[in-house]
Amino acid sequence: MNAAHYRQLLFYGLPGLPLAMLGLPLYVYLPSFYAQSLGLSLTVVGMALLAARGLDVLTDPLIGWLNDKVHSRLGRRKLFMLLGTPLLLVGLEYLLRPTGKVDGFYLFFWSFITYMGWTLVSIPWQAWGAEMTRDYHGKSALSASREGFAILGTVVVISLPFLTGSPEAATTLGTLANLLWFLLPLSLLPALVWLVERRQERRFAPLRKVGNILSAHPAIRQLLPAYFINSLANALPATLFILFVTHVLQTSEQVGVLLMVYFLSGVLGLPLWLWLAKRLDKSRAWALALILSVAAFAFVPFLGAGDAGWFMVICAVSGLALGADVALPASMQADIAQQMQHQGNPNTGLLFGLWGLLTKLALALAVGIAFPLLDWAGFVQDATTQTRTTLWGMALLYAGLPVLLKSWVIWRMWHFPFSEVDFRDYWEMSYANALYSAYPSALHRERVQQHED
């Protein structure tokens, strides 16, 4: 690999760091900040964020579809990323450092603006990575670069309360706003200036036929359900992590350290999964990572108060699997998108818009499953101790249900009917068909010449 290849990986993956820094603050810190520090009722905060996130889920495929449709001299991916950046920064400024009259509409409006800017940047960015190279394992490297920087961005956010020396949400969110005003433009600049965007033909799916995208490639029906179920399996422990550490392990002061161990293990594990993907193929390398995660999570229901040391080991082992969990499915999606594009169906943006929709739907569904079941099990938020039944139910939701869901994904991915050879043959077949339809006599002469030689 030459210097240009590593420069491409660096410039493409770098925006993942500031974009990932938005995840925990917007989903974890923001609701309590508006409720506790700004005095909004929990009902108002919940309804405002539910409305904003509901619209955000719907805009992902729409933005993806529009991004495939629009063309410009700058490049369609670059254009949308440039439009989304100021929108995202302005939305974050008003959302993280609120001014004036702060009510439910204020929270809804600026949350929606922030989510819209985030989508305008992230969906084209992911689609661009799928189009940047035709190399089967090169797409894995690009996905790994993107997700590796994303994990590092998450670690930076986790570290902010320690770096600022204040546990106050207002201080953390204000510091984050300051960082993003510099980090987001600086991280996007090298990609927008020095990376080349491939020109695409002017063809796209009409909006009324967007549903047909699910049958446009046989691998889509295999990959998207597995990705959604695995996202749900990941969203459940993410939703319950703080509650589990606080009430089951009773070591709430260890939350930051445990999260850091988990995410740093994810970065360290990335090279291993890329190496295995080259030898076993992407789907089976992903399946092995899921097996490792399941093996670690199987011990979680047996933990109790004071077992933070054992849980740290589980975080380290399951964290190693994180790199494959975030990089390899996206790389497989890129393979599918590129072959569809070569067949004259260039809807990469739409595919990654659906990808984003499934991710956000899984997060919403995890909350909708976990919290009502915890309530049914007798969980009391303000109680210092919970019943044995409640703690057991929390452990099963945190680890038991994800183990079952991931076991199904392991089975599906171990029997995934497409490998590197299949994708290469499929690519060559589609190329041959396209060439024959355009120049049948030329292709015939080429085959005759090969036979004579």
Side-chain angles (χ1 to χ4, degrees):
M1 294 184 182
N2 54 30
H5 173 77
Y6 289 110
R7 186 166 58 247
Q8 182 187 57
L9 292 179
L10 174 64
F11 289 172
Y12 174 72
L14 198 55
L17 193 149
L19 289 174
M21 292 172 68
L22 301 175
L24 280 175
L26 294 187
Y27 287 103
V28 178
Y29 299 145
L30 199 70
S32 60
F33 172 63
Y34 272 79
Q36 296 176 11
S37 301
L38 299 178
L40 272 64
S41 72
L42 289 174
T43 301
V44 169
V45 171
M47 294 300 293
L49 292 177
L50 179 63
R53 291 172 184 173
L55 290 174
D56 181 44
V57 168
L58 296 176
T59 57
D60 275 39
L62 180 61
I63 293 298
W65 175 79
L66 286 172
N67 190 222
D68 288 329
K69 178 180 179 180
V70 172
H71 290 260
S72 77
R73 291 184 177 181
L74 288 173
R76 53 183 175 171
R77 310 304 183 201
K78 291 183 179 182
L79 174 65
F80 272 54
M81 292 168 72
L82 283 170
L83 293 174
T85 300
L87 195 66
L88 175 57
L89 290 173
V90 171
L92 284 170
E93 178 64 27
Y94 282 94
L95 191 62
L96 302 183
R97 284 195 284 237
T99 58
K101 181 183 177 182
V102 179
D103 53 16
F105 179 76
Y106 180 100
L107 177 57
F108 160 75
F109 179 78
W110 289 112
S111 294
F112 173 72
I113 294 297
T114 300
Y115 291 146
M116 177 63 73
W118 195 357
T119 301
L120 283 168
V121 174
S122 62
I123 296 299
W125 177 52
Q126 293 177 39
W128 188 11
E131 299 165 341
M132 203 167 283
T133 178
R134 292 177 178 175
D135 182 72
Y136 182 75
H137 295 293
K139 289 191 282 291
S140 294
L142 287 168
S143 295
S145 175
R146 181 178 65 223
E147 302 303 334
F149 277 106
I151 295 172
L152 289 176
T154 304
V155 171
V156 171
V157 167
I158 295 169
S159 305
L160 281 182
F162 303 100
L163 296 175
T164 59
S166 172
E168 295 294 327
T171 304
T172 299
L173 294 177
T175 304
L176 178 64
N178 289 332
L179 285 173
L180 289 173
W181 272 105
F182 293 98
L183 289 179
L184 189 60
L186 286 176
S187 67
L188 286 169
L189 184 64
L192 295 175
V193 172
W194 286 291
L195 295 185
V196 177
E197 182 178 334
R198 296 178 184 271
R199 292 187 176 273
Q200 308 299 336
E201 58 182 294
R202 296 175 177 268
R203 197 176 160 188
F204 57 92
L207 189 57
R208 66 180 183 276
K209 294 184 178 180
V210 163
N212 295 341
I213 199 74
L214 299 176
S215 59
H217 191 291
I220 292 178
R221 296 187 298 275
Q222 299 282 336
L223 181 61
L224 288 189
Y227 174 75
F228 174 70
I229 295 298
N230 187 63
S231 297
L232 177 59
N234 290 335
L236 284 166
T239 301
L240 297 171
F241 184 86
I242 294 176
L243 293 177
F244 182 84
V245 174
T246 301
H247 294 283
V248 177
L249 302 180
Q250 297 181 17
T251 53
S252 57
E253 70 280 0
Q254 298 291 325
V255 166
V257 175
L258 291 168
L259 284 173
M260 203 166 293
V261 167
Y262 175 73
F263 286 110
L264 287 176
S265 297
V267 175
L268 294 175
L270 270 170
L272 168 66
W273 303 117
L274 293 179
W275 179 81
L276 282 174
K278 290 182 179 180
R279 283 150 182 81
L280 301 176
D281 208 75
K282 298 175 187 179
S283 59
R284 293 208 166 179
W286 183 26
L288 287 177
L290 293 175
I291 291 171
L292 183 65
S293 180
V294 164
F297 265 53
F299 293 96
V300 169
F302 303 102
L303 299 179
D307 287 335
W310 288 110
F311 188 64
M312 187 175 293
V313 175
I314 291 172
C315 287
V317 174
S318 59
L320 285 174
L322 175 66
D325 228 5
V326 293
L328 295 183
S331 178
M332 294 163 68
Q333 170 89 332
D335 293 328
I336 296 169
Q338 199 166 75
Q339 288 187 348
M340 288 174 56
Q341 182 183 52
H342 188 75
Q343 291 178 304
N345 191 9
N347 291 296
T348 306
L350 175 57
L351 270 178
F352 279 93
L354 292 172
W355 198 256
L357 183 152
L358 292 177
T359 304
K360 293 169 183 176
L361 189 60
L363 286 168
L365 190 58
V367 175
I369 291 173
F371 286 175
L373 287 177
L374 273 183
D375 189 42
W376 176 75
F379 178 76
V380 180
Q381 175 68 41
D382 298 328
T384 54
T385 59
Q386 306 289 339
T387 66
R388 182 180 295 273
T389 302
T390 300
L391 295 178
W392 183 247
M394 186 182 293
L396 289 178
L397 283 171
Y398 182 88
L401 183 54
V403 164
L404 291 176
L405 295 174
K406 283 180 176 287
S407 297
W408 180 83
V409 179
I410 290 168
W411 176 77
R412 288 294 295 263
M413 286 300 99
W414 197 261
H415 297 92
F416 188 66
F418 291 89
S419 64
E420 180 179 4
V421 173
D422 297 314
F423 273 111
R424 187 177 64 242
D425 290 346
Y426 195 44
W427 175 279
E428 292 173 351
M429 180 181 67
S430 62
Y431 175 78
N433 288 340
L435 183 62
Y436 183 78
S437 62
Y439 308 103
S441 58
L443 185 61
H444 177 70
R445 286 196 301 271
E446 181 181 343
R447 288 176 174 171
V448 170
Q449 183 65 37
Q450 290 176 351
H451 179 72
E452 290 176 351
D453 292 341

